[in-house]
Amino acid sequence: MSFISYLINGVSLGSVYAIIALGYTMVYGIAKMLNFAHGDVIMVGGFVVFTIVSSLGLPPVLGIVAAVAICTVLGMIIERVAYKPLRNAASPLAVLITAIGVSYLLQNIALLLFGANTKSFTSIVSIPPLKLAEGKLMISGETIVTIISGIIIMVCLTLFVNRTKAGQAMLAVSEDKGAAQLMGINVNGTIALTFAIGSALAAVAGMLLCSSYPSLTPYTGAMPGIKAFVAAVFGGIGSIPGAMIGGILLGIIEILGKAYISSQMADAIVFAVLIIVLLVKPAGILGKNIQEKV
């Protein structure tokens, strides 16, 4: 019974990683940029909810709406100010270094505003736990909401990309920005929309993560952001189903590693599995090898 409990917790944690990884995989798939400040947008979303719910005592619904709205606008501002001027930079390292700089900027702003002390996060989930097997197996409300949210987000995102005009524009931009622009597609607007969606997903992931693990610091999003990037690569970066599969597998590996091997070695196990997968299948589980003509 404990194994099933660990498995469910792994799927729950993996769903959070998957939601974050969807932001990574969309931005990379369309703009070909690695937004390493993405993890810190998670932290921003957490602090917005903390301020509205815990500090001001307002309903969680207002906190959720505010967090999604603020993170969406923040993502668009980051893209416009930090990444758009470097879109045609000679070296891709310029964007990478800028992303790291934006990450540290967000962390230090949070330090100035909220301090370094760990904040106790009030869960936004009010669903009672589900008891199974005559009470021997208990699934928390946070776990239920996280898993369902991950599935709904992946399905909605897949339908959005494949069935809407904006989604088709994203696919066109991901294939060839120049050709898409010649066809009348607003490339700048499409990339900005991609950052907006990714940042909104980061806000949702931040709320779910802090609800399941009720603590919040300016560094809360750093490690989950890195692990979500690992999940995106694991599943095949650029693939929406791949990000979901990679996130869930990563969560299961981490929880089972903590339970059966060593809690201190769990992170090392996660990255070791990634190395093995990439040695066997460099493009990831659902990724496609792209052949370049010389």
Side-chain angles (χ1 to χ4, degrees):
M1 197 62 68
S2 59
F3 174 78
I4 297 176
S5 179
Y6 293 141
L7 197 63
I8 293 171
N9 289 335
V11 173
S12 175
L13 179 61
S15 297
V16 174
Y17 289 155
I19 294 170
I20 307 169
L22 287 170
Y24 272 118
T25 205
M26 284 189 67
V27 169
Y28 181 80
I30 293 166
K32 297 297 183 289
M33 294 180 181
L34 292 176
N35 179 21
F36 278 113
H38 192 63
D40 296 286
V41 179
I42 300 168
M43 172 268 296
V44 172
F47 270 114
V48 171
V49 176
F50 172 81
T51 301
I52 292 175
V53 177
S54 297
S55 300
L56 301 179
L58 297 175
V61 175
L62 291 178
I64 295 170
V65 173
V68 171
I70 289 173
C71 287
T72 299
V73 173
L74 177 63
M76 296 176 71
I77 291 172
I78 290 173
E79 189 276 331
R80 183 66 179 268
V81 175
Y83 299 147
K84 185 180 177 181
L86 299 173
R87 199 176 294 162
N88 298 318
S91 173
L93 284 176
V95 177
L96 181 61
I97 294 169
T98 302
I100 295 172
V102 172
S103 173
Y104 280 109
L105 175 64
L106 293 176
Q107 288 177 13
N108 281 275
I109 290 174
L111 278 170
L112 289 172
L113 294 176
F114 300 100
N117 294 331
T118 301
K119 304 293 187 295
S120 180
F121 190 90
T122 302
S123 176
I124 60 171
V125 178
S126 57
I127 297 175
L130 179 64
K131 295 181 181 179
L132 302 174
E134 298 179 351
K136 294 180 181 179
L137 179 63
M138 184 177 293
I139 305 174
S140 68
E142 288 81 7
T143 297
I144 296 170
V145 171
T146 301
I147 294 173
I148 293 174
S149 298
I151 295 171
I152 291 174
I153 287 171
M154 189 202 72
V155 172
C156 290
L157 203 57
T158 302
L159 291 174
F160 172 78
V161 170
N162 294 323
R163 301 288 179 86
T164 67
K165 188 175 181 180
Q168 293 298 305
M170 288 179 177
L171 292 176
V173 172
S174 69
E175 289 293 328
D176 191 322
K177 292 186 183 67
Q181 193 165 14
L182 290 174
M183 294 297 293
I185 294 173
N186 185 347
V187 173
N188 292 329
T190 301
I191 293 176
L193 177 62
T194 304
F195 271 84
I197 294 173
S199 299
L201 294 179
V204 174
M207 291 181 284
L208 294 173
L209 179 67
C210 292
S211 293
S212 298
Y213 303 90
S215 62
L216 182 62
T217 72
Y219 307 105
T220 291
M223 185 54 73
I226 293 173
K227 289 180 180 177
F229 173 69
V230 170
V233 176
F234 196 6
I237 195 161
S239 168
I240 292 175
M244 193 70 189
I245 293 171
I248 290 174
L249 287 176
L250 203 71
I252 292 172
I253 291 168
E254 181 176 340
I255 294 296
L256 293 181
K258 287 180 179 178
Y260 293 108
I261 301 176
S262 170
S263 59
Q264 296 177 339
M265 291 289 292
D267 291 344
I269 293 168
V270 166
F271 289 106
V273 170
L274 172 70
I275 292 170
I276 294 170
V277 169
L278 291 182
L279 287 173
V280 176
K281 200 174 190 306
I285 296 172
L286 296 183
K288 296 179 180 179
N289 291 317
I290 299 175
Q291 295 181 350
E292 294 185 0
K293 295 182 179 180
V294 180

